């Protein structure tokens, strides 16, 4: 079974006037057909506003399709009964670590999700320790998250997602809000997770990282997956003019 699969996925944002009345819509995702296999590392590339993050948010059921279908581990994200199973299956880490802090102590922050699911206390602490060790933050378990560096906060956010025992990890530009010296430590954690065989999808502007670590790359423009393939295919011999234009400006 594919970990993630879409069929003619469409998502439209409503446009509203100052009084809140709907005055139109914007199609952010347009008839997208993609899939991610178990254990695969997929990077999503594209300009700002291309639809990358909108697609990623469908994989955690933060957004649900206007048309078409998104399946996560065989579960249709539009089905209300599947919501919590989808969100447990697909852990998500966002851009700004400050917006993801929940607890006042690191270990409580990481254990928040399992606790809400009713996981037994002993199992919660096992998950907390395992997750913090995986991101190199076990020595900070009794610290306040607010006093950590940006890179450390983002590693705690990754640990929080891992504590839910997800089957796939989604990263939505996880380094874009970090200072350059903190980017490497977060990318190293993601690289280690990939080496462990976890299914990973990352929206990123880190071209070198995407080229080095990815099994496949999706390039999105105007809400359409214009091209997909291996890093070698996309970086060395892109077929789509939009892909060539994008890479020509950043490489």
């Amino acid at each position: 079974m594919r970990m993630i699969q879409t069929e003619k996925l469409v998502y439209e944002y409503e446009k509203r006037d100052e009084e809140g009345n709907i005055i139109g819509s914007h199609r952010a995702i347009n008839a997208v057909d993609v899939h991610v296999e178990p254990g695969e590392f997929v990077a999503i590339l594209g300009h700002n506003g291309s639809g990358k993050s909108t697609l990623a948010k469908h994989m955690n059921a933060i957004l649900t399709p206007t048309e078409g279908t998104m399946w996560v581990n065989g579960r249709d994200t539009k089905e209300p009964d599947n919501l919590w199973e989808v969100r447990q299956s697909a852990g998500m880490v966002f851009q700004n670590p400050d917006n993801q802090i929940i607890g006042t102590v690191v270990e409580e922050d990481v254990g928040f999700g399992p606790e809400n699911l009713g996981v037994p206390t002993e199992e919660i602490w096992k998950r907390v320790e395992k997750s913090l060790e995986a991101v190199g933050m076990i020595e900070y378990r009794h610290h306040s998250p607010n006093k950590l560096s940006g890179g450390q906060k983002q590693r705690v956010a990754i640990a929080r997602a891992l504590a839910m025992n997800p089957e796939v990890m989604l990263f939505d530009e996880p380094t874009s809000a970090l200072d350059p010296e903190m980017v490497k430590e977060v990318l190293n954690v993601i690289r280690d997770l990939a080496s462990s065989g976890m299914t990973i999808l990352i929206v990123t502007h880190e071209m070198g990282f995407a080229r080095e670590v990815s099994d496949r790359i999706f390039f999105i423009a105007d809400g359409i997956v214009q091209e997909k393939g291996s890093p070698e295919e996309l970086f060395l011999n892109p077929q789509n003019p939009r892909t060539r234009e994008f890479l020509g400006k950043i490489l």
Side-chain angles (χ1 to χ4, degrees):
M1 182 185 297
R2 288 172 167 168
M3 187 62 67
I4 292 170
Q5 185 168 357
T6 71
E7 183 176 287
K8 304 298 181 187
L9 181 68
V10 171
Y11 186 75
E12 295 181 346
Y13 288 102
E14 294 178 346
K15 293 183 178 179
R16 296 177 179 269
D17 60 21
E18 294 179 355
E19 297 177 350
N21 300 310
I22 298 174
I23 57 174
S25 63
H26 168 67
R27 182 163 289 200
I29 295 292
N30 191 4
V32 165
D33 291 311
V34 296
H35 69 270
V36 178
E37 300 290 349
E40 194 172 25
F41 191 113
V42 174
I44 302 180
L45 309 181
H47 295 288
N48 290 336
S50 62
K52 307 185 302 297
S53 294
T54 301
L55 178 59
K57 288 174 182 175
H58 276 78
M59 298 175 186
N60 184 252
I62 293 172
L63 300 176
T64 54
T66 303
E67 300 174 17
T69 310
M70 164 72 73
W71 292 277
V72 177
N73 202 20
R75 301 179 183 96
D76 185 341
T77 62
K78 283 191 294 189
E79 294 294 330
D81 290 345
N82 291 340
L83 177 62
W84 291 112
E85 289 183 334
V86 167
R87 291 187 177 171
Q88 288 176 63
S89 293
M92 192 154 192
V93 178
F94 299 94
Q95 297 178 19
N96 192 333
D98 287 315
N99 294 337
Q100 301 170 73
I101 295 172
I102 300 170
T104 57
V105 178
V106 165
E107 63 179 10
E108 294 175 356
D109 189 77
V110 174
F112 180 83
E115 183 180 12
N116 275 357
L117 292 177
V119 174
T121 301
E122 184 177 351
E123 172 65 16
I124 291 174
W125 292 123
K126 287 180 180 179
R127 293 192 190 187
V128 168
E129 289 186 7
K130 182 180 179 180
S131 299
L132 287 174
E133 286 174 353
V135 301
M137 289 294 290
I138 191 67
E139 64 185 284
Y140 294 92
R141 63 182 303 166
H142 300 301
H143 286 58
S144 166
N146 293 306
K147 295 182 179 179
L148 300 177
S149 69
Q152 290 170 330
K153 289 176 183 177
Q154 197 64 299
R155 283 192 278 161
V156 170
I158 296 172
R160 185 189 312 114
L162 289 174
M164 299 290 286
N165 286 350
E167 294 157 302
V168 56
M169 283 289 289
L170 311 171
F171 296 92
D172 185 9
E173 298 189 34
T175 61
S176 63
L178 302 180
D179 293 332
E181 65 269 21
M182 298 175 185
V183 170
K184 184 177 180 180
E185 63 182 85
V186 173
L187 293 182
N188 282 341
V189 169
I190 299 172
R191 184 182 286 107
D192 289 343
L193 291 175
S195 298
S196 74
M198 175 167 275
T199 309
I200 293 176
L201 186 138
I202 183 170
V203 176
T204 185
H205 291 292
E206 300 289 340
M207 296 296 114
F209 179 75
R211 186 170 185 172
E212 172 194 350
V213 181
S214 301
D215 297 307
R216 284 193 301 144
I217 293 175
F218 302 157
F219 171 69
I220 297 183
D222 300 326
I224 298 170
V225 177
Q226 306 283 348
E227 189 165 358
K228 50 183 181 282
S230 70
E232 292 77 15
E233 289 169 334
L234 262 77
F235 282 98
L236 298 180
N237 190 29
Q239 300 299 302
N240 187 284
R242 299 294 297 274
T243 313
R244 291 197 294 270
E245 177 190 11
F246 173 76
L247 294 174
K249 291 179 179 179
I250 62 175
L251 296 180

